[in-house]
Amino acid sequence: MTDAIKNRYEFTILFDVENGNPNGDPDAGNMPRVDAETGYGLVTDVCLKRKIRNCIEVLQEDKAGYRIYIKEGIPLQTSDKQAYTNLNIDQKEIKKLKKDDPQKDQQIRNFMCRTFFDIRAFGAVMTTFVKDNLNCGQVRGPVQLGFARSVDPIMPQEVTITRVAITTEEDAAKKNTEMGRKHIIPYALYRVDGYISANLARKVTGFSEEDVAVLWQAIINMFEYDRSAARGNMAVRELIVFKHDNELGNAPAYKLFDTIKVRRKEGVIAPRQYTDYQVEIAEDKIPDGVTCERMI
């Protein structure tokens, strides 16, 4: 494993959706998520991490050290057992082994972090190890994302569609078409802020500069290889990265995020494309010891 990062990072992602549903809420008929008090759109951190994981799989194709732990069709327990197999650990003897060798917790954690990119980045709760009373069962990752929030309030629409795929043979004898519905947002621009802790990377997972480069590539392309008619046209429009010149940083994260202003252009009432907005960075307000780079 290469050396862990030595610099703290913060970053801001701007992405948009056109005629699609970026993150449906299953408790609300799969409608786009909305802050009920303000009308601003929301996309969960879990949704965005899923897109990043999917993109990593496409870009790295199970390259050593870049496998994905949380993925469809593979139980977490199956992946957990790889650590026991690789380290020649008999699960039935784990309590005795841990007593004889207190370092086993760390060895198991290090194996999982080396093997799976998303554990190294986002952390994980590994149930097998938790049940076996190992201290490595919960790993806190250095990369964290909040909820994405739309720049302006959104106006979700329910669109009625006609489909020729009849559900049952009985219904097919009575009619040729059925009605369906889908939820869309005509247009919305979303912003999400993220963090990378060099301190956690060094102490816990070993997240490296190579990993950072892969993460930026995955963020930039997270909608490019995962298209869906339900999500409409989605694209990452900006990735703005703040890099501190040391592990603990030179300024509070909120001061850096406050230097980024995203607003509608004058005269635009109902935005329908990215060029209806302007993005400005107050570079003169960025503290010494912090650099800012627009990756897109």
Side-chain angles (χ1 to χ4, degrees):
M1 183 184 296
T2 57
D3 292 338
I5 57 173
K6 296 178 173 59
N7 306 86
R8 194 182 102 186
Y9 292 88
E10 277 85 40
F11 58 95
T12 293
I13 308 168
L14 296 177
F15 64 91
D16 61 0
V17 57
E18 180 183 353
N19 295 326
N21 183 354
N23 185 204
D25 185 349
D27 288 331
N30 208 43
M31 287 183 60
R33 298 180 189 269
V34 180
D35 180 338
E37 289 188 319
T38 64
Y40 286 91
L42 300 172
V43 174
T44 66
D45 59 319
V46 175
C47 173
L48 296 173
K49 288 178 181 178
R50 178 74 272 151
K51 299 296 182 289
I52 293 172
R53 286 183 171 101
N54 290 347
C55 192
I56 292 291
E57 282 200 282
V58 171
L59 295 173
Q60 300 297 323
E61 294 189 344
D62 276 341
K63 175 183 172 183
Y66 289 91
R67 295 175 56 194
I68 297 300
Y69 178 68
I70 299 178
K71 61 189 298 184
E72 184 179 359
I74 298 182
L76 301 182
Q77 188 180 53
T78 301
S79 298
D80 293 342
K81 288 180 179 179
Q82 293 180 35
Y84 288 156
T85 301
N86 185 270
L87 298 173
N88 297 317
I89 295 174
D90 184 347
Q91 189 173 0
K92 297 178 181 179
E93 300 292 330
I94 192 65
K95 290 183 179 180
K96 180 180 182 300
L97 188 62
K98 180 182 175 183
K99 184 177 180 179
D100 296 339
D101 185 0
Q103 297 300 315
K104 281 300 174 186
D105 281 326
Q106 186 173 340
Q107 291 175 19
I108 293 170
R109 185 196 69 190
N110 290 345
F111 172 81
M112 297 300 286
C113 289
R114 285 196 309 270
T115 303
F116 299 99
F117 174 86
D118 52 339
I119 295 180
R120 203 159 60 247
F122 305 129
V125 177
M126 294 170 278
T127 308
T128 300
F129 307 139
V130 173
K131 288 181 177 179
D132 287 342
N133 296 314
L134 294 168
N135 293 329
C136 61
Q138 296 184 13
V139 174
R140 185 179 172 197
V143 181
Q144 298 299 328
L145 292 170
F147 274 35
R149 181 174 178 268
S150 62
V151 175
D152 287 310
I154 65 173
M155 185 63 68
Q157 297 181 10
E158 186 178 60
V159 179
T160 303
I161 59 174
T162 303
R163 60 191 181 98
V164 297
I166 309 302
T167 305
T168 67
E169 293 178 351
E170 183 180 353
D171 287 341
K174 302 175 184 177
K175 56 186 177 181
N176 296 321
T177 61
E178 286 185 341
M179 306 302 289
R181 292 180 176 84
K182 64 188 301 184
H183 299 282
I184 67 165
I185 300 170
Y187 183 82
L189 178 64
Y190 288 81
R191 170 177 173 166
V192 59
D193 297 325
Y195 315 82
I196 305 180
S197 168
N199 188 256
L200 280 175
R202 174 175 60 83
K203 290 182 177 180
V204 182
T205 72
F207 194 73
S208 67
E209 287 294 339
E210 181 182 352
D211 293 330
V212 171
V214 171
L215 177 66
W216 298 153
Q217 187 181 15
I219 289 174
I220 291 170
N221 293 287
M222 64 180 171
F223 301 120
E224 295 301 315
Y225 312 124
D226 192 21
R227 297 294 182 184
S228 165
R231 288 194 293 272
N233 294 324
M234 296 188 67
V236 173
R237 297 292 188 164
E238 287 266 7
L239 173 57
I240 302 168
V241 177
F242 297 100
K243 181 178 182 179
H244 300 254
D245 64 7
N246 60 70
E247 181 180 286
L248 297 180
N250 300 288
Y254 77 87
K255 286 191 175 182
L256 301 178
F257 294 140
D258 284 349
T259 64
I260 303 173
K261 301 298 181 185
V262 185
R263 57 174 63 91
R264 274 178 288 163
K265 291 181 178 178
E266 187 175 351
V268 176
I269 298 174
R272 287 296 183 269
Q273 54 191 351
Y274 182 65
T275 53
D276 288 337
Y277 288 91
Q278 59 185 26
V279 181
E280 298 175 347
I281 303 175
E283 296 186 5
D284 58 320
K285 295 183 179 179
I286 297 175
D288 292 338
V290 180
T291 59
C292 175
E293 181 180 1
R294 298 176 83 157
M295 305 289 288
I296 300 181

